[in-house]
Every structure is written in C-alpha cells, then in structure tokens.
Amino acid sequence: MSIKNTLTIWFGKLMVKTLHLLGRDAGNAPGLVLWELNKDCLKAFKVDCPIIAVTGTNGKTSVTNYLNHIFESTGKKIITNKQGNNLDTGITSLLLQNCDMKGRVKADYLVLEVDESHVPVIFSKMKLETLVLLNFFRDQLDRNGEVETLILKVKKFLETYEGNVVLNADDPNVSRLGLANPNNKNIYYFSVDRYAGATDKPYEVGEGKFCPKCGTELVYDYYQYSHVGKFKCPKCGFGDVKPYITAKNVKLDVPSVEFEGEEYKISHNSIYYVYNLSAVYTAANLYNFDKKVLHETFEKFEVNNGRLEKFSVDGSELLVNLAKNPVGANMTLRVMNEHKGEKELLFVLNDNLADGHDVSWIWDINFSVFNDVSRVVTSGTRAYDIAIRIKCSGYDPDKIVVRPDLDDAMDEFFKNKGCKYAIANYTAIQPTRAAIKRYKAKTEGGQG
C-alpha cells in the first residue's frame, strides 16, 4: 500500500476513534473529510469479498436490509449500511469503521445500498460482483435533475461492466440497461405477473412512455403501478425479454406470492413490496440460498425504519411509510385505499436540504381517490402546502387539520381511535417515528 493510502487510512481511523470517544456517531463525516483530502480514498481499502449493491429510486433500503438478513442468517459476516448512508462518503465511513489499520476489510460479503448517481463513482474504485437495479422515477429534481440523467450515468458504467446485473423487466427505464453491454452474459431479469389491482390505463404519473431504442411509444398490456407493467415496443420489440424469475399468483388479500412453483407468505399487501421481494429473491437465487431461509424472511422479517412499519398506538393500528417522490406516496395511498373501512391519514412534508427545497412533486400525487378517508392531518415544514394540495384534489377542506409541530400533530391524529396511515418524506420520517413513540410512551407508558 502506498504511503498516501496508508496515511489516508490512519487519519480516517483516527477520526472515527475520536468521534466515538466523544460519544458521537461517525456517520458521513469521516468519509466526507477523506474525499476532500483524497478523491481515490476508496482505493486505500482492501476488500477481497464479494460486493452486492442495490440501487434505484425507491426500495433500496428495504431490499438491502432483506438481503443482509438473508446473508446473515447463514452465519456469514456481513458489512452493510442498514441506515442508508448510500453516498460515496457514507460508504467510505462504513469501510473505515470496519477495516484494520492497513485498510483490510474482513467480511464474507459487503451488501451495500448505493445512491443511483454514485454507482459509477464508487465502483470505478471497488470491484462489484452483483448490481441490483430496482426502478427509476423522478425524484428530488433539484438534486438529481431529470431521471434520464441518472439512467445515462448508470448505463455508462454498465457498458464496461461484466458482473451480475439484476434488473426489473417491468420498468422500461431499468429493462433498457440490460442492453448496455452486449458482451455481458450475466443479466438476470425479474418480473411480476398481473395482479388484481393492475389497470389497463395509467393510474398514476409515470416516466416510461417511449422506446429507448427507437423512440416509438410503448404499448402496455397493463400497468401495475406508475409506468411499471407489461410493455412492448410495437416497432422494434423492446421489452420482449425472458425473465430469470417471475413472481406469480400475487394474492394481496392473503398476502402471498409464488416463486418457482412455491407459495411464499409475505408480511405486506402491496404490489410495490412484491416487486422488492422479487428483486431480493432473484439476487439471493444467484447465491443458492436455502429456500427455507427465504420463506422465513419473507413472512417474518421487518425493516422497521419507516418502510411499511406497523405501530399499535393507544387502540389504533398505524402503518407508516417513507415517500420522497410521487410514486412512493401513490403506493402508500394505494395500500390505504385498498384497505376496506374507515381510516385517517397523516402526511408529514419537509423541505430541508436532503429533501430538496422544491416540493412541486406533491402535485403529481394521485389524491383523486380517497376511499373512506374520514380525516387528514398534515404536519412538517410544508404542512400547509400538502394541505392545499389535498384540498385541490376535491377532498373536503373541513376534514383537513394542519398541525406543523409533530407532537401537536400526534395529539390531533390519535384523538380518534381506528385504522391509520402515515406518509412522511425523507427528513420527516425519523422525526415522525420518534413523535409516534413519544406519544405512545405518554399515553401507554410504553417505549414504542
């Protein structure tokens, strides 16, 4: 190892140690400093184990946590970024905390969530074995720009990459990336058969209208959600791929799904969740895991960090989900609307730096269908914006209550007992979870 790389590791380890002595979480800070000092700092680490990376607009954290749970269940040593520090600086900090003074990272596997725009940056300096690509939607426009920009960045990386690529065949923005490198024979598509809630016409805003090969408008047999569904180009045939894994017999009322002839009980009744599990199943299949492990994981494992997280609070049942773009919000609303009976909704919207200050994306959320939603409470730094958006959809404004402070919002939200749903965007999700736990402790004497 060069003197520069040796000094990089030593200085980074010193930062981590100092922060820990001060009782601070290292987080992104050490990685941020190292990247400022040495743009090739990732090359200072010696990683000899396979690296599996998960990327895409929505679902990265959940899929990464599921894969980590599956790999760990076999007794393997796994290093992963469970909390989603997925930029180059976050990955650097993670490796610093798990390497020795020579930069050696001892693990059986690295399972990493990686931001879409950082895939080429990180893996130009580290050897990647498997890349899992979930979906591409418009997301945080003032940070990421248009979705095509991200797709092209990943495409350029894949043009010379010959490792495993797991792709969502039902998202044209993802499926197209299987064509990036004709010499790569390690392309594995996953797909989900039509489910009961699929539509013949678009139900929500989407991005994949035109063929990326010839520009012809794509023809859809059906839409599962947004632009994800069964599609084909009538001119050049784009979209006609043979999936490696197909999820069949999706029964959200059970809920269950079938993979390779076996029925798997699952813990959430969302088509979006089925797509996440299909990605997990496909990636795990490449590593020949015992199907018993997959059955146990799919039925019982919960991420519990604001991703379809369930709470029982003072006589009410609550489902909380992160939504940082229209598709994420629409999927939560879809789960809510498919639930029969009266319910209430909490929507927490912030506009902090990590969220993006532009919240115009809320106008692409489909609030036109509110099945038996008796009341809506809004909170966060842009509580009034989301309240106005919901009002403009035609919902009765007398049933909308604005409480910008989260603790006040909880007092209001749980005033009535019953079935409840909560949507919170990126910087709002953890404060929302904390506020729920505070309310639960106050009213029940519990800890969440």
Side-chain angles (χ1 to χ4, degrees):
M1 187 162 61
S2 70
I3 293 176
K4 183 178 181 180
N5 283 345
T6 299
L7 292 175
T8 295
I9 295 296
W10 286 2
F11 182 65
K13 295 292 283 184
L14 179 62
M15 279 192 290
V16 171
K17 184 69 173 177
T18 302
L19 287 168
H20 285 168
L21 288 173
L22 293 172
R24 301 277 299 277
D25 182 6
N28 278 329
L32 184 62
V33 173
L34 284 198
W35 271 89
E36 288 296 322
L37 296 175
N38 179 5
K39 297 300 182 185
D40 286 326
C41 59
L42 280 175
K43 292 182 178 179
F45 297 99
K46 297 178 181 178
V47 181
D48 295 325
C49 65
I51 301 176
I52 298 96
V54 181
T55 195
T57 307
N58 292 338
K60 295 186 293 291
T61 300
S62 294
V63 170
T64 301
N65 276 266
Y66 269 84
L67 285 172
N68 175 66
H69 178 80
I70 290 167
F71 277 73
E72 277 189 334
S73 67
T74 62
K76 302 291 186 182
K77 181 182 178 183
I78 311 301
I79 294 175
T80 189
N81 48 345
K82 284 185 180 180
Q83 301 306 316
N85 294 326
N86 59 22
L87 306 181
D88 46 17
T89 53
I91 302 297
T92 302
S93 289
L94 177 73
L95 296 178
L96 274 174
Q97 294 176 65
N98 289 278
C99 74
D100 62 18
M101 294 303 290
K102 293 184 178 181
R104 294 175 297 196
V105 178
K106 298 295 183 182
D108 293 305
Y109 294 95
L110 264 62
V111 181
L112 303 175
E113 171 187 339
V114 181
D115 181 85
E116 308 92 282
S117 65
H118 285 254
V119 168
V121 178
I122 294 168
F123 297 115
S124 64
K125 306 175 192 303
M126 299 175 67
K127 185 178 179 181
L128 177 65
E129 180 169 284
T130 299
L131 179 64
V132 182
L133 277 152
L134 304 174
N135 46 60
F136 281 111
F137 305 109
R138 272 189 298 135
D139 181 52
Q140 296 174 294
L141 291 178
D142 46 0
R143 180 173 80 88
N144 291 326
E146 284 295 336
V147 66
E148 184 70 12
T149 305
L150 288 178
I151 296 170
L152 292 177
K153 283 183 180 180
V154 177
K155 178 178 178 289
K156 186 174 182 180
F157 167 76
L158 290 176
E159 286 172 355
T160 56
Y161 176 68
E162 295 188 354
N164 300 324
V165 187
V166 174
L167 299 172
N168 183 351
D170 299 343
D171 181 346
N173 292 330
V174 174
S175 183
R176 64 189 272 194
L177 296 176
L179 306 174
N181 182 359
N183 294 320
N184 189 354
K185 306 304 180 185
N186 303 302
I187 306 297
Y188 302 92
Y189 291 100
F190 65 89
S191 178
V192 179
D193 277 356
R194 181 171 187 157
Y195 88 112
T199 56
D200 293 331
K201 294 182 179 180
Y203 181 75
E204 300 124 344
V205 66
E207 307 295 328
K209 273 193 167 186
F210 299 98
C211 176
K213 291 179 66 179
C214 69
T216 303
E217 185 171 0
L218 296 174
V219 175
Y220 276 76
D221 291 343
Y222 55 86
Y223 296 82
Q224 305 274 45
Y225 73 95
S226 186
H227 61 254
V228 175
K230 183 65 175 177
F231 63 87
K232 189 175 179 180
C233 175
K235 184 176 180 180
C236 72
F238 168 73
D240 187 16
V241 299
K242 184 178 181 180
Y244 172 67
I245 294 293
T246 300
K248 299 180 178 181
N249 295 321
V250 177
K251 301 174 183 177
L252 296 186
D253 56 336
V254 176
S256 67
V257 62
E258 181 185 306
F259 291 112
E260 297 185 300
E262 285 189 50
E263 182 182 63
Y264 287 76
K265 296 290 179 61
I266 60 178
S267 56
H268 293 282
N269 60 337
S270 162
I271 188 63
Y272 166 69
Y273 176 75
V274 171
Y275 271 94
N276 283 349
L277 292 189
S278 300
V280 171
Y281 186 95
T282 305
N285 214 47
L286 298 180
Y287 293 89
N288 299 313
F289 280 98
D290 189 328
K291 296 299 188 288
K292 290 181 180 178
V293 174
L294 301 184
H295 276 285
E296 181 272 334
T297 301
F298 289 0
E299 184 173 1
K300 298 178 180 178
F301 179 69
E302 295 283 358
V303 177
N304 283 339
N305 63 355
R307 277 72 172 178
L308 294 174
E309 186 172 6
K310 299 169 183 176
F311 291 88
S312 294
V313 184
D314 194 25
S316 293
E317 295 301 317
L318 167 65
L319 183 73
V320 180
N321 198 33
L322 166 73
K324 55 191 178 70
N325 48 52
V327 173
N330 284 333
M331 286 314 303
T332 309
L333 292 176
R334 203 182 261 223
V335 172
M336 180 186 73
N337 285 321
E338 288 172 353
H339 179 91
K340 295 179 180 179
E342 192 172 283
K343 52 263 189 182
E344 295 186 341
L345 172 68
L346 169 68
F347 202 121
V348 188
L349 180 67
N350 283 348
D351 65 345
N352 297 317
L353 180 62
D355 303 303
H357 299 307
D358 180 0
V359 297
S360 61
W361 60 271
I362 63 176
W363 293 89
D364 285 330
I365 301 174
N366 185 3
F367 288 110
S368 63
V369 179
F370 257 16
N371 293 337
D372 300 317
V373 179
S374 57
R375 197 167 63 114
V376 175
V377 178
T378 66
S379 189
T381 61
R382 300 298 285 268
Y384 285 94
D385 294 74
I386 191 64
I388 290 169
R389 169 65 188 97
I390 294 171
K391 174 187 174 182
C392 289
S393 71
Y395 188 72
D396 185 352
D398 292 335
K399 296 181 179 180
I400 302 173
V401 182
V402 180
R403 295 287 185 270
D405 179 79
L406 267 172
D407 288 317
D408 291 344
M410 294 304 155
D411 289 337
E412 182 66 40
F413 190 45
F414 290 109
K415 184 167 30 176
N416 305 325
K417 292 179 172 59
C419 179
K420 298 179 185 292
Y421 291 83
I423 297 172
N425 70 332
Y426 191 69
T427 69
I429 190 65
Q430 298 309 328
T432 299
R433 295 177 71 238
I436 292 166
K437 292 177 181 180
R438 284 195 299 273
Y439 182 88
K440 183 178 175 69
K442 179 176 71 174
T443 57
E444 301 177 2
Q447 295 301 314

